[in-house]
Short mmCIF file of all heavy atoms in Angstrom, two decimals:
data_model
loop_
_atom_site.label_atom_id
_atom_site.label_comp_id
_atom_site.label_asym_id
_atom_site.label_seq_id
_atom_site.Cartn_x
_atom_site.Cartn_y
_atom_site.Cartn_z
N TRP A 283 189.38 -35.37 66.96
CA TRP A 283 188.55 -34.36 66.31
C TRP A 283 187.53 -33.80 67.29
O TRP A 283 187.36 -32.58 67.39
CB TRP A 283 187.86 -34.95 65.08
CG TRP A 283 187.02 -33.93 64.38
CD1 TRP A 283 187.43 -33.04 63.44
CD2 TRP A 283 185.63 -33.68 64.59
NE1 TRP A 283 186.38 -32.25 63.05
CE2 TRP A 283 185.26 -32.62 63.74
CE3 TRP A 283 184.66 -34.25 65.41
CZ2 TRP A 283 183.97 -32.11 63.69
CZ3 TRP A 283 183.36 -33.75 65.36
CH2 TRP A 283 183.03 -32.69 64.52
N ARG A 284 186.86 -34.68 68.03
CA ARG A 284 185.85 -34.22 69.00
C ARG A 284 186.50 -33.38 70.10
O ARG A 284 185.98 -32.34 70.49
CB ARG A 284 185.10 -35.41 69.61
CG ARG A 284 184.11 -36.04 68.63
CD ARG A 284 183.33 -37.20 69.23
NE ARG A 284 182.64 -36.79 70.45
CZ ARG A 284 182.44 -37.58 71.50
NH1 ARG A 284 182.87 -38.83 71.49
NH2 ARG A 284 181.79 -37.15 72.55
N PHE A 285 187.64 -33.84 70.61
CA PHE A 285 188.34 -33.10 71.65
C PHE A 285 188.72 -31.71 71.13
O PHE A 285 188.49 -30.70 71.81
CB PHE A 285 189.60 -33.86 72.09
CG PHE A 285 190.34 -33.20 73.22
CD1 PHE A 285 190.02 -33.50 74.53
CD2 PHE A 285 191.33 -32.26 72.98
CE1 PHE A 285 190.68 -32.88 75.59
CE2 PHE A 285 191.99 -31.63 74.02
CZ PHE A 285 191.67 -31.94 75.34
N ASN A 286 189.30 -31.65 69.95
CA ASN A 286 189.72 -30.38 69.37
C ASN A 286 188.53 -29.44 69.19
O ASN A 286 188.61 -28.26 69.52
CB ASN A 286 190.42 -30.65 68.03
CG ASN A 286 191.15 -29.44 67.52
OD1 ASN A 286 192.00 -28.87 68.18
ND2 ASN A 286 190.80 -29.03 66.31
N ARG A 287 187.42 -29.95 68.69
CA ARG A 287 186.22 -29.14 68.47
C ARG A 287 185.71 -28.55 69.78
O ARG A 287 185.46 -27.35 69.88
CB ARG A 287 185.12 -29.97 67.81
CG ARG A 287 183.85 -29.19 67.50
CD ARG A 287 182.77 -30.07 66.87
NE ARG A 287 182.46 -31.25 67.66
CZ ARG A 287 181.63 -31.28 68.69
NH1 ARG A 287 181.04 -30.18 69.09
NH2 ARG A 287 181.39 -32.39 69.33
N VAL A 288 185.59 -29.38 70.82
CA VAL A 288 185.09 -28.91 72.11
C VAL A 288 186.06 -27.92 72.73
O VAL A 288 185.65 -26.87 73.24
CB VAL A 288 184.81 -30.10 73.06
CG1 VAL A 288 184.45 -29.61 74.46
CG2 VAL A 288 183.69 -30.97 72.51
N LEU A 289 187.35 -28.22 72.68
CA LEU A 289 188.34 -27.32 73.27
C LEU A 289 188.34 -25.96 72.58
O LEU A 289 188.33 -24.92 73.25
CB LEU A 289 189.74 -27.95 73.20
CG LEU A 289 190.86 -27.07 73.79
CD1 LEU A 289 190.65 -26.84 75.28
CD2 LEU A 289 192.22 -27.73 73.54
N LEU A 290 188.34 -25.94 71.25
CA LEU A 290 188.38 -24.66 70.54
C LEU A 290 187.12 -23.84 70.80
O LEU A 290 187.19 -22.61 70.94
CB LEU A 290 188.60 -24.88 69.05
CG LEU A 290 189.96 -25.49 68.69
CD1 LEU A 290 190.09 -25.63 67.17
CD2 LEU A 290 191.11 -24.68 69.25
N MET A 291 185.96 -24.47 70.86
CA MET A 291 184.72 -23.75 71.19
C MET A 291 184.81 -23.17 72.59
O MET A 291 184.42 -22.02 72.83
CB MET A 291 183.51 -24.70 71.12
CG MET A 291 182.84 -24.75 69.78
SD MET A 291 181.27 -25.68 69.76
CE MET A 291 181.21 -26.59 71.27
N HIS A 292 185.31 -23.96 73.53
CA HIS A 292 185.42 -23.53 74.91
C HIS A 292 186.38 -22.34 75.03
O HIS A 292 186.06 -21.34 75.69
CB HIS A 292 185.90 -24.70 75.77
CG HIS A 292 186.02 -24.39 77.21
ND1 HIS A 292 184.93 -24.29 78.04
CD2 HIS A 292 187.12 -24.12 77.97
CE1 HIS A 292 185.36 -23.98 79.27
NE2 HIS A 292 186.68 -23.87 79.24
N LEU A 293 187.53 -22.43 74.40
CA LEU A 293 188.50 -21.34 74.45
C LEU A 293 187.94 -20.06 73.84
O LEU A 293 188.17 -18.97 74.35
CB LEU A 293 189.80 -21.74 73.75
CG LEU A 293 190.61 -22.85 74.43
CD1 LEU A 293 191.80 -23.23 73.56
CD2 LEU A 293 191.05 -22.45 75.82
N ALA A 294 187.18 -20.21 72.77
CA ALA A 294 186.57 -19.02 72.14
C ALA A 294 185.58 -18.35 73.08
O ALA A 294 185.54 -17.12 73.17
CB ALA A 294 185.89 -19.42 70.83
N LYS A 295 184.79 -19.12 73.80
CA LYS A 295 183.84 -18.55 74.76
C LYS A 295 184.58 -17.81 75.86
O LYS A 295 184.19 -16.71 76.26
CB LYS A 295 182.97 -19.64 75.38
CG LYS A 295 181.92 -20.18 74.46
CD LYS A 295 181.14 -21.29 75.15
CE LYS A 295 180.19 -21.95 74.18
NZ LYS A 295 179.50 -23.08 74.81
N GLU A 296 185.64 -18.41 76.35
CA GLU A 296 186.41 -17.75 77.40
C GLU A 296 187.02 -16.44 76.88
O GLU A 296 186.97 -15.41 77.55
CB GLU A 296 187.49 -18.68 77.94
CG GLU A 296 186.94 -19.80 78.79
CD GLU A 296 188.01 -20.71 79.36
OE1 GLU A 296 189.13 -20.75 78.82
OE2 GLU A 296 187.70 -21.40 80.35
N ASP A 297 187.58 -16.48 75.68
CA ASP A 297 188.20 -15.28 75.09
C ASP A 297 187.21 -14.15 74.86
O ASP A 297 187.50 -13.00 75.17
CB ASP A 297 188.84 -15.61 73.74
CG ASP A 297 190.23 -16.17 73.83
OD1 ASP A 297 190.81 -16.14 74.93
OD2 ASP A 297 190.73 -16.64 72.80
N LYS A 298 186.07 -14.48 74.30
CA LYS A 298 185.13 -13.44 73.88
C LYS A 298 184.20 -12.97 74.99
O LYS A 298 183.75 -11.83 74.95
CB LYS A 298 184.32 -13.94 72.69
CG LYS A 298 185.15 -14.12 71.45
CD LYS A 298 184.30 -14.44 70.26
CE LYS A 298 185.03 -14.77 69.00
NZ LYS A 298 186.23 -14.08 68.69
N LEU A 299 183.91 -13.84 75.94
CA LEU A 299 182.93 -13.48 76.97
C LEU A 299 183.49 -13.46 78.38
O LEU A 299 183.35 -12.48 79.09
CB LEU A 299 181.73 -14.44 76.90
CG LEU A 299 180.93 -14.41 75.62
CD1 LEU A 299 179.92 -15.55 75.59
CD2 LEU A 299 180.23 -13.07 75.46
N LEU A 300 184.09 -14.56 78.77
CA LEU A 300 184.47 -14.69 80.18
C LEU A 300 185.58 -13.73 80.60
O LEU A 300 185.40 -12.95 81.53
CB LEU A 300 184.88 -16.14 80.48
CG LEU A 300 185.28 -16.42 81.94
CD1 LEU A 300 184.08 -16.20 82.85
CD2 LEU A 300 185.83 -17.81 82.07
N TYR A 301 186.73 -13.80 79.94
CA TYR A 301 187.85 -12.96 80.37
C TYR A 301 187.53 -11.47 80.29
O TYR A 301 187.80 -10.74 81.24
CB TYR A 301 189.12 -13.28 79.59
CG TYR A 301 189.62 -14.69 79.80
CD1 TYR A 301 189.98 -15.47 78.72
CD2 TYR A 301 189.73 -15.24 81.07
CE1 TYR A 301 190.44 -16.77 78.90
CE2 TYR A 301 190.19 -16.54 81.26
CZ TYR A 301 190.54 -17.30 80.17
OH TYR A 301 190.98 -18.57 80.35
N PRO A 302 186.95 -10.99 79.20
CA PRO A 302 186.64 -9.55 79.16
C PRO A 302 185.70 -9.11 80.29
O PRO A 302 185.89 -8.04 80.88
CB PRO A 302 185.99 -9.36 77.79
CG PRO A 302 186.52 -10.47 76.96
CD PRO A 302 186.67 -11.63 77.92
N GLN A 303 184.70 -9.93 80.59
CA GLN A 303 183.76 -9.53 81.63
C GLN A 303 184.40 -9.60 83.02
O GLN A 303 184.19 -8.71 83.84
CB GLN A 303 182.50 -10.37 81.56
CG GLN A 303 181.67 -10.00 80.35
CD GLN A 303 180.37 -10.74 80.26
OE1 GLN A 303 180.04 -11.54 81.10
NE2 GLN A 303 179.63 -10.47 79.20
N LEU A 304 185.18 -10.63 83.27
CA LEU A 304 185.80 -10.73 84.59
C LEU A 304 186.88 -9.66 84.78
O LEU A 304 187.09 -9.19 85.90
CB LEU A 304 186.37 -12.13 84.83
CG LEU A 304 185.35 -13.24 85.03
CD1 LEU A 304 186.05 -14.58 85.26
CD2 LEU A 304 184.37 -12.94 86.15
N THR A 305 187.56 -9.26 83.72
CA THR A 305 188.57 -8.21 83.88
C THR A 305 187.93 -6.86 84.16
O THR A 305 188.61 -5.96 84.67
CB THR A 305 189.50 -8.09 82.64
OG1 THR A 305 188.72 -7.82 81.50
CG2 THR A 305 190.34 -9.35 82.46
N ARG A 306 186.65 -6.71 83.87
CA ARG A 306 185.93 -5.47 84.19
C ARG A 306 185.20 -5.57 85.53
O ARG A 306 184.42 -4.69 85.89
CB ARG A 306 184.93 -5.14 83.09
CG ARG A 306 185.57 -4.75 81.78
CD ARG A 306 184.56 -4.20 80.78
NE ARG A 306 183.39 -5.02 80.60
CZ ARG A 306 183.22 -5.92 79.62
NH1 ARG A 306 184.19 -6.12 78.74
NH2 ARG A 306 182.11 -6.60 79.52
N SER A 307 185.47 -6.61 86.28
CA SER A 307 184.81 -6.81 87.57
C SER A 307 185.11 -5.64 88.51
O SER A 307 186.21 -5.09 88.50
CB SER A 307 185.31 -8.11 88.21
OG SER A 307 184.93 -8.18 89.56
N PRO A 308 184.15 -5.30 89.37
CA PRO A 308 184.42 -4.27 90.38
C PRO A 308 185.45 -4.75 91.43
O PRO A 308 186.02 -3.93 92.14
CB PRO A 308 183.06 -4.00 91.02
CG PRO A 308 182.16 -5.08 90.58
CD PRO A 308 182.76 -5.73 89.37
N SER A 309 185.68 -6.04 91.49
CA SER A 309 186.67 -6.59 92.42
C SER A 309 188.05 -6.60 91.76
O SER A 309 188.26 -7.32 90.77
CB SER A 309 186.29 -8.01 92.82
OG SER A 309 187.40 -8.68 93.38
N PRO A 310 189.00 -5.85 92.30
CA PRO A 310 190.35 -5.87 91.72
C PRO A 310 190.98 -7.27 91.74
O PRO A 310 191.72 -7.63 90.84
CB PRO A 310 191.15 -4.90 92.61
CG PRO A 310 190.13 -4.07 93.31
CD PRO A 310 188.88 -4.90 93.41
#
Side-chain angles (χ1 to χ4, degrees):
W283 181 85
R284 286 182 55 214
F285 184 89
N286 192 56
R287 182 181 55 83
V288 173
L289 180 63
L290 295 182
M291 270 188 346
H292 181 76
L293 293 175
K295 286 178 187 176
E296 288 181 340
D297 275 350
K298 292 188 186 322
L299 297 171
L300 181 64
Y301 297 132
Q303 288 183 1
L304 289 180
T305 58
R306 292 190 310 264
S307 167
S309 163

